[in-house]
Amino acid sequence: MTPEERAHAAARALWTNDRASKSLGMEILEVGPGFSIVAMNATIEMTNGIGTIHGGFIFALADSAFAVACNSYNERTVAAHCSITYLAPGVAGKRLLASAREISRAGRSGLYDIEISQEETIIAQFRGHSRSIGGTLFSEPPS
């Protein structure tokens, strides 16, 4: 199994049980080893009291892209710490994209940066620290 095939299989296995991401209408657009792009349509139901997209929905999208990227090696991996900086407001009626890329991965720990954009505007930067917890997402065929 190539690293790309493993990443795709891991994403499928992870997404099968990810009810939260799917209930928000998220979809995986791209995946590779340590990389993912996840999209979500920003709806009017996601707006806060001032009419912009609630930061919790932006965080959830970034966290889902982070999960796909850090689980792409077929090692069960969770978030140990995450932070987000909001740079511009998101608006309803437009698609949000979260692009995750691996910065570092050693032992059981990883570091990932996720950029959240809407159209051509970067609206947030998310950094996730991952920790593998043992086990796999799917059984790999023998080599």
Side-chain angles (χ1 to χ4, degrees):
M1 178 172 271
T2 69
E4 290 76 19
E5 290 169 336
R6 182 174 293 108
H8 282 270
R12 280 191 303 276
L14 184 70
W15 214 246
T16 296
N17 296 316
D18 190 339
R19 291 174 186 88
S21 297
K22 290 190 292 190
S23 75
L24 292 172
M26 293 181 201
E27 61 178 313
I28 299 170
L29 300 182
E30 293 183 37
V31 64
F35 169 79
S36 76
I37 297 176
V38 177
M40 177 176 74
N41 291 324
T43 67
I44 195 73
E45 292 80 16
M46 295 177 180
T47 56
N48 58 24
I50 60 170
T52 62
I53 300 302
H54 191 291
F57 290 104
I58 296 167
F59 189 99
L61 175 63
D63 189 39
S64 293
F66 170 45
V68 173
C70 70
N71 278 281
S72 63
Y73 300 99
N74 194 27
E75 296 175 15
R76 287 179 355 129
T77 304
V78 297
H81 173 76
C82 301
S83 64
I84 193 165
T85 302
Y86 299 99
L87 305 170
V91 296
K94 298 183 180 177
R95 197 156 172 84
L96 295 166
L97 292 178
S99 301
R101 67 183 176 92
E102 184 177 276
I103 303 302
S104 173
R105 182 172 169 262
R108 295 177 51 208
S109 299
L111 183 65
Y112 294 78
D113 281 344
I114 296 85
E115 181 177 276
I116 303 88
S117 61
Q118 194 169 47
E119 294 184 334
E120 300 300 315
T121 303
I122 298 169
I123 64 168
Q125 292 282 346
F126 175 107
R127 175 158 274 193
H129 300 252
S130 68
R131 186 77 170 170
S132 62
I133 58 172
T136 59
L137 297 167
F138 69 95
S139 297
E140 292 195 41
S143 314

